[in-house]
Amino acid sequence: MALRALWLLRHDPGAGGAVLFSRRYPTVEIRAETFNGSTHVPVPSDSAFLKALLFELRLIDDHIFVEHRDTCTRINHSSVYSVRTEGGDLWPVLAFQKSGLIYACLPLVEETLEPRPPLLTVRGLSQGLALLLGIVDYISPSRKNEAEMSAKIGQLRNLLIQACPLGTPLNTNIRSLNSSFDDIQEMPTDENQPAWRSNTYKGKPQVNVSITEKVKCMQYDKRDVVDMWQVYGAVNCKCDIEGSAPNVTLTLNLPTNGPPLQDIVVHHCVTSVDPAMLMSSSAEPLDDSVYNGPYKFPFIPPSDSFNLCYYTSQVPVPPILGCYQLIEEGSQLKITVNLKLHESVKNSFEYCEAHIPFFNRGPIAHLEYKVSYGQLDLSREKSLLVWVIGQKFPKSLEVSLTGNVSFGTAGKEHPTDYVCSGNTAYVKLCFRIPDFTLTGCYVDQHSIQIFVPGKPKITACELLKISFI
């Protein structure tokens, strides 16, 4: 359970890519050569890896068809890639994009790479993902401040010495670490205290659990094109409990006939798990044999907030059905947007907005519109319409927008897009619902078991975040 290398990259469509940070672990690389034997592929230079990964992610040369990358028989269902380099295909590269940055690592595979072993058997993947997400949590708050972000990246090397010594992730909560060596505490003297539990809590025991679900959805409103949607969930915990190694058991439950949880990835502090929970994959069709709970997680919690597990789920219907029509009439565009909230979804939002962008055109010079509910705003750049629906749909659960739009002369500052040209366009809907999950997944507070003296205070909440086109 180790990493051969780790990268933090940036991609700017105009300026190209750059390596912001990289870390290699030579001792792990020697182990990789031994385990992989003749199938071993060395880690390339940072510049070569950057170019190869951007190509694999279709961030460069996306207009060129490359068979090994773009063929329909090669559909990626995960964030694990095979990156083609001069030394061969580098696998498994775990990589994902977040707020303009690319986070990537290369876990150690403790066996030959041909034939490729199942992803579930590569133990370093879950730890690598947890470490990358810890770096995301550490870097993200400073994304809008370039100087602050550069300072944090400069501290990463010292932080990783504590979080991932010799390539082995021990503490994935990067924000809880100290970038200065002066204040690094000695290892705990209690032999039962795990490395990820860096300090002990003193006070009244309490447990806070939060379930957050995000829905990614694409609707085409065409008979010959299948709509797609999927739920991505995360269970976050913060356990303030006395003791060097307290044992906690948390159970996730689903309503009767609720969609099962799939692609479950657990935090390394989980001490045991039912193998049937990990075998359910969204890449395979659902059947009656799929494990549908309850989902029990015994664990020894870290000292700070952490994500206990991640999951996906295939809900039967999207939360909102949408239809977008765009018709060009002379120099004007006629737009129609219809949205309908599904009756099973809680009609109470923190916010609900529909973003309607216009690419490859000039600024909006004239706008006539009619909305059945909410209000319509024009962005400062005059290339985006924002339909603010508000915190509630009307009793009919349906809203509509019609309008006519005309444009001025296009300039370099106005957005362009290779795909969204002519009448090819989209509406992006974003909203957030507190105290609700689309899957119905919840934590029964009475089912949380904590083996410590005293009665703990337990708080559980749910949150649904949506982003779909």
Side-chain angles (χ1 to χ4, degrees):
M1 294 186 288
L3 304 180
R4 295 168 58 187
L6 181 147
W7 296 269
L8 176 59
L9 314 171
R10 169 182 280 161
H11 175 253
D12 187 337
V19 179
L20 302 181
F21 176 83
S22 69
R23 182 73 169 90
R24 297 159 187 267
Y25 297 97
T27 55
V28 182
E29 190 65 18
I30 293 174
R31 292 165 59 193
E33 293 176 4
T34 303
F35 283 122
N36 304 155
S38 60
T39 63
H40 175 74
V41 177
V43 179
S45 65
D46 287 345
S47 58
F49 177 80
L50 171 66
K51 184 176 180 181
L53 182 61
L54 293 180
F55 181 82
E56 180 64 28
L57 296 177
R58 298 179 177 86
L59 297 177
I60 58 174
D61 297 335
D62 59 327
H63 60 287
I64 302 174
F65 177 79
V66 181
E67 185 172 357
H68 81 269
R69 181 190 69 178
D70 302 320
T71 177
C72 292
T73 59
R74 187 174 180 270
I75 300 176
N76 226 351
H77 294 285
S78 68
S79 297
V80 179
Y81 300 90
S82 176
V83 178
R84 183 158 294 187
T85 67
E86 289 186 0
D89 289 347
L90 195 65
W91 182 90
V93 175
L94 177 61
F96 59 86
Q97 301 179 67
K98 181 75 172 179
S99 303
L101 300 181
I102 303 173
Y103 301 81
C105 69
L106 179 63
L108 171 67
V109 180
E110 299 178 349
E111 56 185 295
T112 181
L113 299 177
E114 293 294 342
R116 286 181 180 170
L119 292 180
L120 284 175
T121 65
V122 182
R123 296 183 294 171
L125 280 174
S126 59
Q127 285 194 322
L129 176 61
L131 182 63
L132 291 181
L133 291 173
I135 296 175
V136 171
D137 188 48
Y138 170 71
I139 294 290
S140 291
S142 60
R143 280 290 296 124
K144 295 182 180 180
N145 188 322
E146 193 70 24
E148 183 182 351
M149 187 181 74
S150 298
K152 285 192 172 184
I153 292 175
Q155 296 170 355
L156 261 184
R157 190 166 299 277
N158 286 349
L159 294 173
L160 286 177
I161 291 176
Q162 305 169 59
C164 189
L166 300 178
T168 303
L170 296 180
N171 188 346
T172 58
N173 191 347
I174 307 297
R175 286 201 299 177
S176 68
L177 302 176
N178 195 319
S179 60
S180 171
F181 287 109
D182 298 334
D183 297 327
I184 296 179
Q185 299 178 356
E186 295 182 2
M187 290 298 291
T189 55
D190 189 338
E191 61 181 13
N192 295 320
Q193 182 171 339
W196 61 81
R197 191 168 174 82
S198 56
N199 55 68
T200 56
Y201 171 80
K202 298 294 183 182
K204 184 178 180 179
Q206 56 183 349
V207 176
N208 294 288
V209 183
S210 173
I211 301 177
T212 301
E213 290 187 348
K214 297 181 180 181
V215 181
K216 293 185 178 180
C217 175
M218 297 189 71
Q219 299 180 36
Y220 303 94
D221 194 35
K222 291 184 178 181
R223 292 184 178 180
D224 56 337
V225 181
V226 179
D227 295 342
M228 301 181 66
W229 61 89
Q230 190 168 35
V231 177
Y232 298 82
V235 180
N236 183 270
C237 297
K238 177 69 168 69
C239 301
D240 294 327
I241 305 173
E242 292 187 358
S244 59
N247 290 289
V248 180
T249 299
L250 182 147
T251 303
L252 299 180
N253 297 286
L254 294 173
T256 305
N257 299 324
L261 307 185
Q262 299 177 300
D263 305 320
I264 296 177
V265 178
V266 300
H267 192 275
H268 58 75
C269 72
V270 176
T271 55
S272 65
V273 69
D274 188 335
M277 290 169 45
L278 305 179
M279 297 305 294
S280 180
S281 170
S282 59
E284 300 174 356
L286 289 174
D287 55 47
D288 294 337
S289 64
V290 174
Y291 187 87
N292 59 357
Y295 302 87
K296 185 172 291 188
F297 301 92
F299 60 96
I300 300 175
S303 306
D304 296 283
S305 176
F306 70 103
N307 286 324
L308 176 66
C309 70
Y310 301 89
Y311 62 85
T312 67
S313 183
Q314 302 178 47
V315 294
V317 292
I320 292 182
L321 292 174
C323 176
Y324 178 35
Q325 290 183 336
L326 186 149
I327 302 174
E328 195 160 1
E329 296 180 346
S331 60
Q332 286 190 336
L333 290 180
K334 183 178 181 180
I335 62 172
T336 302
V337 182
N338 296 310
L339 301 174
K340 182 178 181 180
L341 180 68
H342 194 271
E343 57 269 17
S344 65
V345 177
K346 181 182 178 182
N347 189 9
S348 178
F349 305 86
E350 283 190 13
Y351 63 86
C352 181
E353 297 179 350
H355 294 189
I356 310 171
F358 296 96
F359 298 97
N360 309 314
R361 303 178 187 273
I364 295 176
H366 181 72
L367 172 64
E368 295 179 358
Y369 68 91
K370 180 181 179 181
V371 292
S372 66
Y373 201 77
Q375 67 182 47
L376 190 67
D377 297 329
L378 177 63
S379 69
R380 185 168 53 183
E381 298 79 10
K382 296 186 176 182
S383 59
L384 172 70
L385 296 179
V386 180
W387 181 12
V388 181
I389 299 170
Q391 297 180 326
K392 206 175 187 67
F393 271 62
K395 289 184 178 181
S396 64
L397 302 182
E398 297 184 24
V399 293
S400 63
L401 161 67
T402 58
N404 295 304
V405 186
S406 58
F407 302 88
T409 304
K412 292 183 179 180
E413 69 276 10
H414 295 101
T416 60
D417 190 277
Y418 292 109
V419 176
C420 296
S421 60
N423 290 344
T424 302
Y426 66 86
V427 173
K428 183 176 182 180
L429 184 64
C430 304
F431 61 83
R432 182 181 176 120
I433 305 178
D435 302 320
F436 177 79
T437 57
L438 195 60
T439 60
C441 180
Y442 67 95
V443 176
D444 183 358
Q445 298 186 26
H446 300 290
S447 70
I448 298 180
Q449 300 177 351
I450 305 175
F451 302 97
V452 293
K455 185 178 180 180
K457 177 183 177 182
I458 299 174
T459 304
C461 65
E462 295 83 34
L463 176 67
L464 178 65
K465 299 171 69 176
I466 306 288
S467 176
F468 70 83
I469 297 174

